[in-house]
Amino acid sequence: MDDCVYGQAASFVSQLPQPSAGSHKGRPAVTLTFAQSLDGKVSLPSQQLHLSGPESLAMTHHLRAAHDAILVGIETVICDNPQLNVRHMHPSQLPVVENPQPVVLDSRLRIPSTARLLTTPQADSRLKMPLIFTGPQHDPARRAMLEQMGAQIIVAPCSEGRLQIDEVMKELHHRGVESLMVEGGARVIQSFLASGLCSTIIVTIAPTYVGSEGVSAFPLPCSSLEPLLYQQFGRDMVMVAK
């Protein structure tokens, strides 16, 4: 990729608002970021959906490097098998940039043992094994297996089968996470939008239509969002709001 793309990504991230000291007592500052189609879809049921172009993807990886941790839900792990690292930054930066701490919301410990979040760190010491939040009703044998692989399992309270976001935020802050990037999937995005915990929202809009089978991220009115910045990355438009 052209060096100008990496420079544009770094410059864009440097312009983003920084949380003021003490403004998020007891929890991390949250940046919610995701890609959507022109018709507002972020995913397809039970299958992977590629939306971001290489230029906006480089921006996303620069954004990851600016956060202590990055959070996704278990559906994203199962469908996309992500690595949640910063591999799309400039090659010269990769040896010195710290990768964020992966965090997974998995109330029933459904994460596959073959997930790249579990297997890739075993071959690359620069990567961190995931923190996995699960509910009280998890399978103890599965927990033991995941812990033996190196994952850290944290039990948190659930409400109607979903992990309580407030409790997850408190535990992450207790573990030293000051800045958290939330990437998805759709249910996680919706939960954070409804929670009011997001400091910054970054949406990448890809010039494609998914159709009625796609899943939207915005089931709630978002008229209260205040747009801060727009920038084009290749074919994609990136919007920042708070």
Side-chain angles (χ1 to χ4, degrees), residues 192-215:
F192 273 88
L193 285 171
S195 73
L197 295 174
C198 301
S199 305
T200 306
I201 299 173
I202 302 175
V203 182
T204 298
I205 302 171
T208 186
Y209 284 90
V210 173
S212 58
E213 69 274 19
V215 179

Side-chain angles (χ1 to χ4, degrees), residues 14 22 25 29 40-41 47 58 94-95 122-123 126 141 147 156 160 164-165 171 185 196 199 209 219 225 232:
S14 71
K25 290 182 179 179
K41 309 302 183 183
Q47 58 182 295
L94 295 180
Q122 297 176 7
R126 296 173 301 170
E147 289 179 330
E160 298 181 352
Q164 295 181 11
I165 297 297
E171 180 61 28
S199 305
Y209 284 90
L225 294 182
Q232 187 168 356

Side-chain angles (χ1 to χ4, degrees):
M1 196 182 302
D2 193 288
D3 284 356
C4 291
V5 174
Y6 297 113
Q8 182 190 22
S11 175
F12 180 80
V13 171
S14 71
Q15 297 177 62
L16 299 179
Q18 299 296 316
S20 57
S23 61
H24 301 87
K25 290 182 179 179
R27 63 175 177 84
V30 175
T31 301
L32 177 64
T33 179
F34 57 91
Q36 69 171 43
S37 61
L38 286 174
D39 54 342
K41 309 302 183 183
V42 299
S43 65
L44 287 167
S46 302
Q47 58 182 295
Q48 192 170 18
L49 176 63
H50 293 287
L51 290 171
S52 299
E55 296 86 358
S56 62
L57 193 60
M59 182 279 297
T60 297
H61 281 230
H62 277 77
L63 190 62
R64 287 178 176 180
H67 289 78
D68 296 329
I70 177 169
L71 181 148
V72 296
I74 184 58
E75 297 298 338
T76 294
V77 176
I78 291 173
C79 291
D80 297 349
N81 196 17
Q83 299 182 63
L84 303 184
N85 56 28
V86 296
R87 66 191 182 280
H88 289 296
M89 294 184 68
H90 194 282
S92 65
Q93 294 179 288
L94 295 180
V96 295
V97 172
E98 184 174 0
N99 283 274
Q101 171 65 60
V103 180
V104 180
L105 302 184
D106 184 5
S107 61
R108 292 184 287 149
L109 287 186
R110 293 188 293 141
I111 185 170
S113 59
T114 55
R116 290 193 291 185
L117 286 176
L118 295 169
T119 59
T120 308
Q122 297 176 7
D124 187 345
S125 60
R126 296 173 301 170
L127 304 178
K128 301 177 177 72
M129 291 295 284
L131 294 175
I132 303 175
F133 283 86
T134 192
Q137 304 302 317
H138 64 272
D139 180 352
R142 187 155 186 80
R143 173 178 179 172
M145 180 270 291
L146 292 169
E147 289 179 330
Q148 187 172 18
M149 292 184 71
Q152 299 181 62
I153 310 299
I154 305 164
V155 180
C158 289
S159 178
E160 298 181 352
R162 295 192 183 191
L163 290 159
Q164 295 181 11
I165 297 297
D166 282 346
E167 295 302 319
V168 171
M169 295 298 98
K170 291 176 185 176
E171 180 61 28
L172 287 175
H173 187 266
H174 177 71
R175 290 172 175 262
V177 175
E178 297 291 339
S179 57
L180 176 68
M181 182 172 167
V182 177
E183 283 200 10
R187 288 180 65 179
V188 171
I189 293 168
Q190 292 164 8
S191 294
F192 273 88
L193 285 171
S195 73
L197 295 174
C198 301
S199 305
T200 306
I201 299 173
I202 302 175
V203 182
T204 298
I205 302 171
T208 186
Y209 284 90
V210 173
S212 58
E213 69 274 19
V215 179
S216 298
F218 285 103
L220 304 170
C222 291
S223 57
S224 61
L225 294 182
E226 178 187 343
L228 298 176
L229 181 66
Y230 297 88
Q231 189 161 324
Q232 187 168 356
F233 285 86
R235 59 172 198 160
D236 303 330
M237 180 63 69
V238 178
M239 180 194 79
V240 181
K242 69 174 184 178

